[in-house]
Amino acid sequence: MGLKPFLEPWVWRMAWRDSRTSRGRLLYSITSITLGIAALVAISSFGDNIKVSIHNQSKALLGADLVIKSRRPFGKETLELIRSLGGEQSRQVNFSSMVYFPKSGSSRLASVRALDGDFPYYGAIKTVPASAARNFQKRGTDALVEDNLMLQFDAQVGDSIAIGALTFRIAGRLKKMPGETLAAGLIKPRVYIPMAYLGRTKLIRKGSIARYRVYFKFDPERETEQLLQTIQPHLRKNRLRADTVQERKERLGRIFENLSHFLNLAGFIALLLGGVGVASGIHVYTKQKIGTVALLRCVGAKAGQTFAVYLIQAAAMGLAGVCLGTLIGMGVQLFLPSILSDFLPVKITVFISWRAILLGASIGLVISLLFVLLPLISVRKISPLLTLRSALEESDSQKDPLRWFLYFLIAAAIGLFALAQTRVWYQGLWYAAGLCVAFGFLTGMGKLLMNLARNYLSNSWSYVWRQGLANLYRPNNQTVIVMLAIGLGTFFIITIQLSRNMLLEHVSLASGENNPNMVLLDIQADQREDLRDLLKAFDLPVLEETPIVTMRLASIKGRSVQEIREAPKPDIPHWALRREYHSTYRSHLTNTETIIAGTWQGKLNQRSDTIAVSLEKDIAHDLDVTLGDDLTFDINGVLFKTRVGSIREVNWHRMQPNFFVVFPTGVLEKAPKFYVLVTKVPTNEITAKLQRTVVQKFPNVSTIDLTLILNTVDAVLGRVAFAINFITLLIVLTGLMVLAGAVMSSRYQHLGESALLRTLGASRAQITKILLIEYLFLGSFAAVTGVLLAVAACWALSYFLFEAVYLPATPIILVGPLVVIGITILIGMLNSRGICDRPPLEVLRSDV
């Protein structure tokens, strides 16, 4: 066929003239793809905005040029190194503690941060009033308190807040800290105090869990990255970590690039769904033009010319849809920063990203052309003899090799896009395969519905039911298209809701009737008996009392940790090598643990025996060790050589202390340690009283209320779900447009059928019932199929990603399909209104 027909002026004039009566219908069919294009343009532009904003505000992300971090107080050698580095310096100590509001008598676990110096050096702390950020270190016992925390307890500036043994005055509401997000403070809200008063709180003792940081600001000409390389040997030797502006920028860039890729993959689904709508609309349009095409062939037009006429029409409308989608996407990108602002550490500078616009428009144009070509290629097969035959006669186009080539191109486009949006190639392939399975399953269910309606209609059924079901397999029906539109929309909506519910359900199970819901942390040895007596006074049980010893790995299978870390390609993750292990010792397993390899050893009988420890299965995998391998742990400078005696599977979803490493008794009893107590509190009132008493009598002890955590997790997931639901909304709207387009495309057939039925004596009520039955079955099959796909997807997420037992949310599974069915019937009936208003003779004469 070639490109020659597209160069002929007659073809372009004919395309223009023939489209005059159908432009509105064509444009509606094509615009179903606009929302998908809008999603891609908006998300890609947003990603570019984030990338540029992170680059421009890179120093504010860290607040300094360099930060050195430690999990223990800096040693003498490190302090000398810090002094030798020069520049402006600020110190910060971070730790978790209960804070108490005397005015309301309420308490809450918070992240307390003692600060000394002018940090942040880049960016600014945002507080209300603004002067509090500059002055809280200069006015004695002043504190900055997270705005969310103050709202929770109705605290005001000027009120008191007790932290440990000292009471501070709230100098200001903390609104924003450079490089941190609002969402970061939801579980443990931040409270800043002057470093000078840290000691008077009496919260930092030997063995306390705290994080120590030093922030540096250097002269602009000083090369921070080069300096970091110079001091790296000392950092590794003393198990210190460092962060620079460049590293923070690259890390955040990767995080938000992954977010952008994820949202792009979701938006691409809307684009594909819109492509289905395009194919549906062009399919019906070409069926209506069969007579015109056959007539053109009779007067001498070649097959290539007639094909070019209608391809030009469809391509022109497709270009219009792409332009409209691009404009909508440019508008949507203005609102994305406000939707995701709680999760963004920088202020987004919004600008027009021509790269994103060209990329989204190009992908949209390619997809729209591929889906346009699917129904249009049948135009090549239309014979001039069809002018003497029924205008609805179908050609055998399924065997056309070009059609199968187009299927291949669409699958290849999906695969290439998925690979471009995922860092790991097999993840892209899984995404593409999952989409193909979803499309294939929905298409198969549509075909099944048609076959059931065709082959299992009973003559004993009422006329209305027989006619309504027969509509599902009538010539040129839209059953498969509607199934795809409704099913995919249902699939994604229900998947998101089920996933959120699944995460919350696992947390809820942890706080169930028979499970503990309160944990008391950081209990010193001399406080154990007093706290047990306190719980007894509140008539609360001590469900578990666990000692915790802090240690680090010194060697693995005879190789030192430093040697492993300095290897060109270390086969063990750095986090597993440098982390502090909070381990315990006991003689028994808990109900959250199961031995899957080796033998449990609960007691060391003789000092000369080899210490057999039990490792959790995932940490054993990360450390690349198995039964019988040697591990050496460093506990405050004392080395303990151990052997892997067993490997455990741990249920991390239960709210009780779980550990990577468990020692037998008879080894660590004399090591420095703190304790954790676990109890069950029956009511919120008792929880509040207990927390107040603990804060007042034991200020260093932290209490974790699982109910509060559950509510916080719900809030976080709600914000995340809202961001994802924004993209899902585009998918749903696209699905509704495709559904409405499919219904409108079949309207001409319903007009003809209703005219014939009315001529034969059918009443308006009977015709309405026939349409109602048709859309009821379409909506029911599509909704149930979408829910089945959603349940399968959530099971896969639960099994492979969360490694947990899948807990289906019955209300969502039952109510979701009912809502979808109702929407399907509503749209179907609204688009079918007026069918019975036109006189049958007028309809039959118009040869609809």
Side-chain angles (χ1 to χ4, degrees):
M1 184 167 57
L3 295 175
K4 185 177 178 180
F6 295 95
L7 303 177
E8 298 177 13
W10 175 85
V11 170
W12 288 86
R13 288 197 302 269
M14 189 63 200
W16 173 259
R17 292 171 181 170
D18 184 72
S19 69
R20 284 181 293 190
T21 58
S22 309
R23 288 171 193 164
R25 189 184 306 165
L26 266 177
L27 185 59
Y28 185 87
S29 299
I30 293 295
T31 51
S32 62
I33 209 167
T34 55
L35 290 179
I37 297 170
L40 287 183
V41 170
I43 294 165
S44 296
S45 297
F46 179 62
D48 287 351
N49 290 172
I50 288 181
K51 188 181 298 184
V52 171
S53 298
I54 289 177
H55 176 75
N56 292 340
Q57 302 172 48
S58 57
K59 290 199 172 184
L61 291 172
L62 190 64
D65 294 316
L66 174 69
V67 57
I68 296 178
K69 298 177 280 188
S70 174
R71 292 176 178 266
R72 61 182 65 183
F74 295 115
K76 182 178 179 181
E77 185 181 352
T78 300
L79 290 174
E80 291 178 358
L81 172 67
I82 290 172
R83 283 193 291 268
S84 69
L85 294 178
E88 296 184 49
Q89 299 182 7
S90 295
R91 304 290 180 93
Q92 184 172 296
V93 179
N94 302 347
F95 57 95
S96 297
S97 174
M98 298 298 295
V99 295
Y100 175 66
F101 293 89
K103 178 180 175 182
S104 62
S106 304
S107 56
R108 171 78 189 268
L109 183 67
S111 175
V112 180
R113 305 181 177 194
L115 182 63
D116 177 35
D118 293 331
F119 178 83
Y121 299 113
Y122 306 103
I125 304 175
K126 292 186 179 179
T127 60
V128 176
S131 59
R134 300 187 301 270
N135 300 328
F136 85 99
Q137 295 187 62
K138 305 173 184 177
R139 294 182 177 177
T141 54
D142 277 4
L144 302 180
V145 181
E146 186 99 46
D147 187 50
N148 285 334
L149 182 59
M150 294 185 65
L151 291 174
Q152 180 182 358
F153 297 120
D154 194 27
Q156 305 296 325
V157 174
D159 288 350
S160 298
I161 180 172
I163 304 173
L166 194 60
T167 299
F168 292 82
R169 171 185 168 273
I170 300 176
R173 296 174 177 267
L174 179 62
K175 290 285 191 177
K176 185 79 173 178
M177 195 72 181
E180 297 185 4
T181 64
L182 177 62
L186 288 175
I187 293 180
K188 281 199 300 184
R190 294 158 291 192
V191 177
Y192 280 83
I193 63 174
M195 180 74 77
Y197 294 93
L198 175 60
R200 292 172 58 181
T201 65
K202 299 181 180 178
L203 291 174
I204 301 299
R205 303 183 179 184
K206 185 177 181 180
S208 296
I209 301 175
R211 305 292 184 265
Y212 300 84
R213 298 183 180 185
V214 180
Y215 296 94
F216 298 86
K217 179 185 178 183
F218 300 120
D219 294 333
E221 62 272 10
R222 193 166 185 181
E223 290 291 338
T224 307
E225 295 296 327
Q226 189 176 8
L227 173 64
L228 180 60
Q229 292 298 321
T230 304
I231 65 175
Q232 199 64 250
H234 175 89
L235 300 180
R236 284 195 293 266
K237 176 184 175 182
N238 292 275
R239 298 180 183 271
L240 303 174
R241 296 177 59 192
D243 207 356
T244 64
V245 171
Q246 184 63 27
E247 289 179 350
R248 177 68 65 90
K249 182 172 71 172
E250 291 175 356
R251 187 160 60 246
L252 279 173
R254 287 193 297 270
I255 291 172
F256 286 102
E257 185 179 359
N258 290 338
L259 172 64
S260 178
H261 287 333
F262 168 75
L263 295 177
N264 264 325
L265 290 172
F268 189 63
I269 294 168
L271 183 63
L272 291 177
L273 192 54
V276 173
V278 167
S280 168
I282 299 300
H283 170 76
V284 174
Y285 179 71
T286 55
K287 291 299 180 183
Q288 293 177 290
K289 292 293 184 179
I290 286 178
T292 304
V293 174
L295 185 60
L296 287 174
R297 295 296 308 280
C298 285
V299 297
K302 298 178 182 178
Q305 291 175 317
T306 55
F307 173 77
V309 166
Y310 293 102
L311 180 58
I312 289 171
Q313 290 181 1
M317 295 299 104
L319 185 60
V322 168
C323 294
L324 179 60
T326 300
L327 291 175
I328 294 174
M330 292 170 65
V332 168
Q333 93 170 79
L334 300 177
F335 298 98
L336 283 178
S338 61
I339 293 174
L340 296 171
S341 60
D342 289 351
F343 301 93
L344 300 175
V346 294
K347 182 179 180 180
I348 301 300
T349 302
V350 179
F351 62 90
I352 296 176
S353 173
W354 295 109
R355 185 205 67 84
I357 290 173
L358 290 175
L359 179 64
S362 301
I363 294 173
L365 192 58
V366 169
I367 293 296
S368 63
L369 284 177
L370 288 175
F371 277 94
V372 157
L373 284 170
L374 275 175
L376 272 183
I377 58 175
S378 60
V379 171
R380 300 160 34 250
K381 304 291 184 179
I382 295 177
S383 166
L385 289 176
L386 283 180
T387 54
L388 306 175
R389 299 177 185 173
S390 169
L392 294 178
E393 179 175 312
E394 296 189 56
S395 60
D396 185 15
S397 59
Q398 292 300 322
K399 296 181 181 179
D400 191 339
L402 183 56
R403 178 177 299 276
W404 288 101
F405 179 65
L406 288 174
Y407 287 145
F408 169 77
L409 289 180
I410 291 174
I414 294 173
L416 289 174
F417 184 85
L419 290 172
Q421 299 298 321
T422 51
R423 288 187 175 276
V424 184
W425 63 270
Y426 59 80
Q427 292 178 350
L429 292 183
W430 274 115
Y431 172 85
L435 276 183
C436 291
V437 167
F439 271 85
F441 188 60
L442 286 166
T443 301
M445 291 299 289
K447 297 287 186 182
L448 176 63
L449 177 59
M450 294 166 60
N451 289 332
L452 290 175
R454 180 183 293 112
N455 298 323
Y456 292 96
L457 274 177
S458 173
N459 291 329
S460 63
W461 294 0
S462 69
Y463 172 76
V464 170
W465 277 90
R466 293 199 312 273
Q467 186 63 32
L469 292 173
N471 281 351
L472 296 172
Y473 62 87
R474 67 180 181 270
N476 301 318
N477 68 82
Q478 298 293 294
T479 299
V480 173
I481 300 298
V482 173
M483 283 284 296
L484 284 171
I486 305 173
L488 284 176
T490 303
F491 168 44
F492 289 106
I493 295 172
I494 300 297
T495 297
I496 289 173
Q497 297 304 319
L498 287 179
S499 299
R500 180 187 178 194
N501 188 83
M502 176 178 62
L503 293 174
L504 291 176
E505 189 67 26
H506 282 299
V507 180
S508 298
L509 283 178
S511 60
E513 248 181 66
N514 301 318
N515 294 326
N517 63 358
M518 178 71 73
V519 177
L520 288 79
L521 297 171
D522 208 12
I523 302 169
Q524 302 303 309
D526 58 354
Q527 298 174 322
R528 289 172 59 195
E529 292 302 323
D530 292 337
L531 274 164
R532 291 176 70 92
D533 292 341
L534 177 63
L535 293 180
K536 186 177 180 180
F538 276 87
D539 199 22
L540 299 176
V542 177
L543 299 179
E544 190 174 343
E545 183 178 22
T546 306
I548 297 180
V549 180
T550 301
M551 59 188 67
R552 291 180 179 273
L553 271 170
S555 68
I556 302 174
K557 293 188 286 191
R559 297 175 62 201
S560 70
V561 167
Q562 185 171 347
E563 178 187 347
I564 298 173
R565 291 181 62 183
E566 291 176 351
K569 292 184 179 180
D571 50 1
I572 298 175
H574 277 244
W575 69 266
L577 296 171
R578 65 173 179 249
R579 67 169 287 122
E580 275 189 342
Y581 287 84
H582 293 146
S583 306
T584 191
Y585 55 90
R586 46 180 149 81
S587 60
H588 61 279
L589 293 172
T590 66
N591 58 1
T592 64
E593 300 172 316
T594 304
I595 297 294
I596 60 175
T599 304
W600 168 261
Q601 179 180 331
K603 183 177 181 181
L604 186 71
N605 296 317
Q606 299 180 13
R607 283 289 179 183
S608 59
D609 290 347
T610 302
I611 303 172
V613 297
S614 181
L615 294 187
E616 188 267 342
K617 65 172 186 177
D618 290 330
I619 197 66
H621 176 269
D622 289 334
L623 295 176
D624 191 27
V625 295
T626 186
L627 296 177
D629 287 341
D630 293 330
L631 295 173
T632 302
F633 290 94
D634 181 348
I635 304 176
N636 279 5
V638 180
L639 299 182
F640 286 78
K641 187 174 182 180
T642 68
R643 174 179 53 82
V644 180
S646 63
I647 296 176
R648 294 164 297 123
E649 185 171 30
V650 176
N651 180 6
W652 295 99
H653 301 288
R654 294 290 294 273
M655 185 58 186
Q656 60 190 71
N658 290 306
F659 301 90
F660 282 142
V661 185
V662 177
F663 280 70
T665 58
V667 181
L668 301 179
E669 279 78 0
K670 295 184 179 180
K673 55 185 170 291
F674 62 91
Y675 290 84
V676 172
L677 286 179
V678 178
T679 186
K680 173 72 177 178
V681 184
T683 65
N684 291 334
E685 290 75 14
I686 296 177
T687 296
K689 290 179 181 177
L690 176 63
Q691 287 182 325
R692 282 198 299 270
T693 306
V694 170
V695 169
Q696 292 167 356
K697 292 187 175 181
F698 309 97
N700 64 292
V701 175
S702 299
T703 60
I704 299 179
D705 179 11
L706 178 61
T707 305
L708 180 60
I709 289 180
L710 177 62
N711 294 335
T712 305
V713 170
D714 187 21
V716 173
L717 291 178
R719 297 184 186 208
V720 174
F722 181 78
I724 297 175
N725 279 336
F726 181 79
I727 302 301
T728 307
L729 177 64
L730 296 179
I731 299 173
V732 173
L733 290 177
T734 303
L736 293 177
M737 288 184 66
V738 174
L739 172 61
V743 172
M744 291 183 68
S745 298
S746 60
R747 180 183 173 87
Y748 80 96
Q749 290 165 315
H750 284 140
L751 279 170
E753 290 164 3
S754 66
L756 289 172
L757 292 174
R758 290 173 66 192
T759 302
L760 295 172
S763 66
R764 183 187 299 265
Q766 286 178 313
I767 294 174
T768 301
K769 290 179 182 178
I770 289 170
L771 293 174
L772 186 63
I773 290 169
E774 177 184 354
Y775 293 120
L776 173 64
F777 273 83
L778 275 173
S780 300
F781 256 68
V784 170
T785 305
V787 168
L788 289 176
L789 286 170
V791 170
C794 285
W795 173 86
L797 287 173
S798 178
Y799 184 81
F800 294 107
L801 183 60
F802 302 119
E803 296 184 355
V805 178
Y806 175 52
L807 303 168
T810 305
I812 296 176
I813 293 175
L814 294 179
V815 174
L818 295 178
V819 174
V820 173
I821 293 169
I823 293 175
T824 304
I825 294 174
L826 177 63
I827 292 179
M829 299 309 293
L830 285 176
N831 279 305
S832 300
R833 70 186 188 279
I835 282 180
C836 299
D837 295 341
R838 294 176 63 183
L841 186 59
E842 177 188 339
V843 175
L844 296 175
R845 280 178 174 173
S846 64
D847 193 25
V848 176

